[in-house]
Amino acid sequence: MSERQWGTVREDYSPYGDAWHYFPYDHAHCRTYQWGEDGLGGISDFFQNLCFAVALWNGKDPVLKERLFGLGNNEGNHGEDVKELYYYLDNLPSHYYMEYLYKYPQQEFPYKKLLEENRNRSREEPEYEILDTGVFDKDEYFDVTISYAKQNARDIFIRIDIHNRYYKPAEITVLPTLWFYNRWSTDGQEKKPVITTRDGNSVRATHSRLGAYYLYFQPPKYTLFTENETNLEKVSGVPNKTPFVKDAFHEAVIRNNHLDALKQKRSGTKFAPVYHYSVGPGETESIYLRLSNRILENPFNGDPAMLFQSRKEEADAFYATILPANISREMAAVQRQALAGLLWSKQYYHYDVERWLTTSDGLSPVNAGKLNGRNHEWKHLKNQDIVAMPDKWEYPWYAAWDLAFQSIAMALVDPVFAKHQLLLIMREWYMKPDGQIPAYEWNFSDVNPPVQAWAALMVYRIEKERSGKGDVGFLKRIFQKLLINFTWWINRKDANGNNMFEGGFLGLDNIGVFNRSHSLGGEFQLEQADGTSWMGMYALNMMDMALEIAMKDDSFEDTATKFFEQFVLIAEALNEQGMWNEEDRFFYDTLSIAGSPVQLRIQSIVGLTTLFAVSIIEKKTLHKLTDFKKRITWFENYRLKNKRYWPNEEHSDGETILLSLVPQKKLISLLERLLNEAEFLSPGGIRALSKYHEENPYTINIGGVDYHIKYDPGDSTSDFFGGNSNWRGPVWIPINYLIIQSIRKFGKFYGEGLLVEYPAGSGEQLPLEQVADQLTGRVVSLFKKDITGSRPLHGKHNWFYQKPGNEHLLLFYEYFHGDTAHGLGASHQTGWTALVAELISELSKNETATTQSSVAASTTAK
């Protein structure tokens, strides 16, 4: 289940689209959701009819701990952010074994302190985190581990381990909670399901479509029933007709309100057995439950711990086949937690825009503002699928370009699901009829970089390398959808028809000197170096895909030619229409002011995206695809004869051809900046904006308004896009991954024939493939312990992660500080930060190849 349903667009029925104010955290306890559920370490069936999660109470908090707390966009000094400690420890593609750790303070949870301190801080100050509050300083907390072990697909054992980390006994109340997602209140045709008492240790949950499930549990202190219905009195001041509302467990357990009535109730749509423990110092209490579709007389027959042990061993065996054999135990643990987090991020996602626009949630009427507001042009979008989320708290909705990177990491562990995700986002109930792919829930019409074709090829190649067989059928299916999307880009994002593309912010949020998604007015027009580069990359990816398919089906040969020629035109536009600055030796966006072009001389990854469009064609491919060879040969001769731009370069052995947006001289110039530690190269990878702008901020006056940009290595000091994301200096792993793959491909072509200085100014010359390895090592180092046991990503909180029992715990942040390398942004962005798992595998593979080459050379010499 999601870690946050409140504060999302689909739960917002306000006229002004203010999701954070309309459905705040305080309402989440007592107000039913319209489009899904959330919970602590929770699971559900495929359509989220029946849900299970864990609720906790330490005897001091004002509410049950049913869900993770965090600040809304209007509350944090850097936008929304979860303020809890939780970790995805293990998972499998089949989910036959899953493990989740939550750290629950024994003192009163510092809700007020976190809220007030962050509100009082400026954007120039760091966020105030839960580890800064002092509640974890003396180990005065519980480790709550929730584990799932499947007997089969419809029979799941659940174990909840409560471990006291404190040196004194501590009280805790545990409510393993089973409930039905409330569809009956808003869907007149939905028959209300029911959970009923079966005996003292089991209940039956009956649903018209799901059938019957049984929750078996060990003897509790008592059991509670209520209804998953909104507490109208708390939400809108209307008196409740019954005490059996969504937050009744809070009132009963914490304030003793209606406790006897809930104990005596024998049915409802929400149920929990209640356990109360005084856990001794260093001791653990374990609770076993079983959720099954079978009637069982002895549900815990034997030792249930044995099943968990067996499933854990199976998980170990599975990862032994997935992870490289030659990596260290530490790196294997990083890979496994990254992939576990990725698998935990799979979530039921339900959003029917037309229904959302035209119906009420029972609290706010349908209103004109909403009908003409956010996403109103996406009425065709009817999503009800399992989708991998970027982060289940901060981003509990899919984002098109995040999903592309997630799929690459997912291909390591579950290539079938990875391919499914890439295809899903382009199905007719997602893709707009005109071919636009939905960007993300907050604005489906925003434009993300078109990385789906590249991701499809990466997933295809990862699977092919591992299995020995490429899924050409998958390439054919996705190619047809990508054709439609590519056409949308050509028709909608090349306003002048000159192969210079716009696109807006392109997922890079505040990287521009102004908001690139907003028009500056009639006389101003922005042509983007990255928009153009992304389209050059898209064209090459489509060509590569068509060539791969054409080796089995020659009907794709013509299409390969079409994309080859399209790429040549884009390369010409990028290099000859004013985006390259010869003085700076860098590519820039160009702003046309009343017809006069002005380069926006900002040294950022906008200019480095030009590296991403690179492909190598082998001559053996040309020999087989004669029509393709004939056509590109004619095209080359024609353009050279007429002194037109030509991007090809042939290898000295004549066996390969390089296609790239960046000619060799420009490539070398870009790499000089990229590999300079005073500019782009940081300890943890490539910065999004050059450190050059720390001492040299960029300013431009447009229409009488001054716009500024400077190097900003950490949390954003700009309020662009809510202020919780920063592309003005930090290290972003997906961009680093793209840079590494591109440099590696250049290196494969040039080999030892092209050496560059790494780092710039060091005097050491390396071939590009070794440069790619070095950059990979920097990114991987974010997660590595140094000689003191500290990991860069934990920053000032390393004291906590060096304590016994915490040394193995990792967070996968959204991005990383450009100078110190500590983690920032969403703390569980295993969506694309899980790419570190693929980078570790790649580094391992290259180290193996180097070792084998050295051994072979030594043997030959002897």
Side-chain angles (χ1 to χ4, degrees), residues 26-32 182 227-251 255 258 363:
D26 290 342
H27 281 194
H29 319 299
C30 55
R31 181 169 157 188
T32 57
N182 187 341
E227 304 293 339
N228 188 17
E229 303 273 5
T230 296
N231 185 334
L232 292 172
E233 190 169 333
K234 283 189 178 179
V235 175
S236 57
V238 177
N240 294 316
K241 297 178 181 178
T242 170
F244 305 124
V245 289
K246 179 178 176 178
D247 62 337
F249 294 174
H250 295 261
E251 296 296 323
R255 299 179 183 87
H258 308 296
L363 298 172

Side-chain angles (χ1 to χ4, degrees), residues 781-799:
S781 74
L782 293 166
F783 300 85
K784 273 188 174 181
K785 290 180 182 178
D786 62 19
I787 57 173
T788 69
S790 296
R791 302 181 201 260
L793 70 99
H794 290 314
K796 67 177 181 177
H797 296 131
N798 264 291
W799 63 268

Side-chain angles (χ1 to χ4, degrees), residues 13 25 42 63 93 100 108 122 146 192 232 253 306 363 449 451 478 534 554 566-567 616 621 657 667 720 760 805:
Y13 285 80
Y25 175 78
V63 294
Y100 175 105
E108 181 175 342
S122 69
I146 305 167
K192 186 175 180 178
L232 292 172
V253 173
M306 294 299 292
L363 298 172
V451 291
I478 202 162
W534 288 120
D554 60 10
Q566 183 76 57
F567 167 75
I616 298 171
T621 300
I657 295 172
L667 171 65
F720 278 9

Side-chain angles (χ1 to χ4, degrees), residues 142-250:
F142 296 104
D143 271 349
V144 181
T145 305
I146 305 167
S147 304
Y148 298 93
K150 289 186 182 181
Q151 182 78 359
N152 58 53
R154 292 179 173 83
D155 191 351
I156 307 169
F157 279 81
I158 304 161
R159 185 175 70 200
I160 306 165
D161 295 319
I162 312 294
H163 178 71
N164 182 6
R165 298 291 296 266
Y166 198 42
Y167 70 91
K168 294 180 180 179
E171 306 281 319
I172 188 167
T173 302
V174 185
L175 291 83
T177 308
L178 186 73
W179 75 98
F180 282 111
Y181 164 25
N182 187 341
R183 285 186 168 99
W184 57 89
S185 293
T186 52
D187 185 347
Q189 298 181 353
E190 181 77 22
K191 184 179 178 180
K192 186 175 180 178
V194 64
I195 304 171
T196 56
T197 298
R198 183 172 174 268
D199 56 37
N201 297 107
S202 67
V203 294
R204 172 177 170 153
T206 309
H207 188 277
S208 58
R209 285 180 288 176
L210 191 62
Y213 268 80
Y214 303 87
L215 180 68
Y216 302 96
F217 45 91
Q218 294 173 316
K221 184 177 181 181
Y222 53 83
T223 62
L224 299 175
F225 277 97
T226 189
E227 304 293 339
N228 188 17
E229 303 273 5
T230 296
N231 185 334
L232 292 172
E233 190 169 333
K234 283 189 178 179
V235 175
S236 57
V238 177
N240 294 316
K241 297 178 181 178
T242 170
F244 305 124
V245 289
K246 179 178 176 178
D247 62 337
F249 294 174
H250 295 261

